[in-house]
Amino acid sequence: FDDMITAALLLLRDHREVLNETEKYRYDHIMVDEYQDVNDINVQLISELAAESKSLMVVGDDDQAIYAFRGGNTEHILSFPDRFDAEILYLTTNYRCQPGIIKLANELISHNQDRYSKEMKPAPSKSFSVCDVSLIYPFRNISGGIVNETRRDIHYEIFHYIQGLVHFVEIEPSD
């Protein structure tokens, strides 16, 4: 995969004028996930792509970097706001762990150097919990049997979308 990234980077650098002749090679918005693990060539490729875009958004957590062994460098996420004149939005509510685990993790991680100062907090106790979706009304037909596969898949998609809104956007389940 590294060769593919290198080839794409060379194409963008050496043939930008050809690529710019057509709109299909321009991206209005670019989003990069797991930015804490990008390496130098990843950042170069992202910079080249972002040169023609209207917006660049990256998602990452400097405290979760795990790919230093393959060139991942947390300095890239730490310097992102300055490099791209960007704003930082912290998502600090943890829906996966119990409050005691989050407290201990915060204490341990706070000793790390070269990191954004942030503190995770547990989700409110009234938050929407993960449950067996087959027990919820839309997943059962009126006679109590499970709905057909196609409808069930649609219900799962809707359920997970709503669950994401509740967990990550922090919308109240009652809304």
Side-chain angles (χ1 to χ4, degrees):
F1 290 108
D2 292 341
D3 291 345
M4 291 175 20
I5 294 171
T6 303
L9 181 59
L10 292 174
L11 180 66
L12 285 168
R13 285 185 176 163
D14 297 343
H15 302 286
R16 182 168 297 284
E17 68 285 346
V18 175
L19 295 174
N20 285 344
E21 291 176 11
T22 176
E23 285 292 317
K24 74 178 189 178
Y25 290 105
R26 285 200 187 130
Y27 300 96
D28 289 336
H29 310 284
I30 298 172
M31 195 286 258
V32 180
D33 196 11
E34 303 295 346
Y35 196 79
Q36 75 275 3
D37 289 317
V38 296
N39 59 32
D40 293 344
I41 197 160
N42 296 144
V43 173
Q44 291 172 38
L45 179 61
I46 292 164
S47 296
E48 288 293 326
L49 289 170
E52 300 293 328
S53 75
K54 294 178 182 170
S55 68
L56 169 65
M57 181 180 103
V58 302
V59 178
D61 182 351
D62 53 312
D63 290 325
Q64 293 186 32
I66 60 172
Y67 287 105
F69 69 91
R70 68 165 202 202
N73 184 344
T74 56
E75 180 54 36
H76 294 304
I77 196 169
L78 296 173
S79 65
F80 181 82
D82 295 330
R83 181 181 185 123
F84 292 99
D85 190 29
E87 179 182 343
I88 299 174
L89 173 64
Y90 292 99
L91 303 175
T92 57
T93 304
N94 183 308
Y95 293 90
R96 296 180 178 176
C97 300
Q98 297 296 321
I101 293 171
I102 295 169
K103 182 179 182 217
L104 179 60
N106 281 330
E107 288 173 15
L108 290 171
I109 291 171
S110 71
H111 297 286
N112 292 350
Q113 297 177 359
D114 298 325
R115 64 182 291 270
Y116 289 116
S117 179
K118 59 190 170 299
E119 186 167 325
M120 298 305 294
K121 61 183 184 209
S125 59
K126 65 179 180 173
S127 69
F128 197 72
S129 61
V130 176
C131 63
D132 179 2
V133 294
S134 67
L135 301 176
I136 297 174
Y137 164 71
F139 296 95
R140 297 192 168 274
N141 67 23
I142 202 90
S143 64
I146 300 289
V147 296
N148 70 47
E149 272 190 39
T150 303
R151 293 202 53 187
R152 187 188 69 227
D153 290 346
I154 292 168
H155 290 141
Y156 272 106
E157 184 176 334
I158 293 167
F159 177 81
H160 289 295
Y161 176 76
I162 293 168
Q163 194 175 30
L165 288 173
V166 171
H167 283 214
F168 300 109
V169 183
E170 299 184 0
I171 291 175
E172 291 297 321
S174 60
D175 294 339

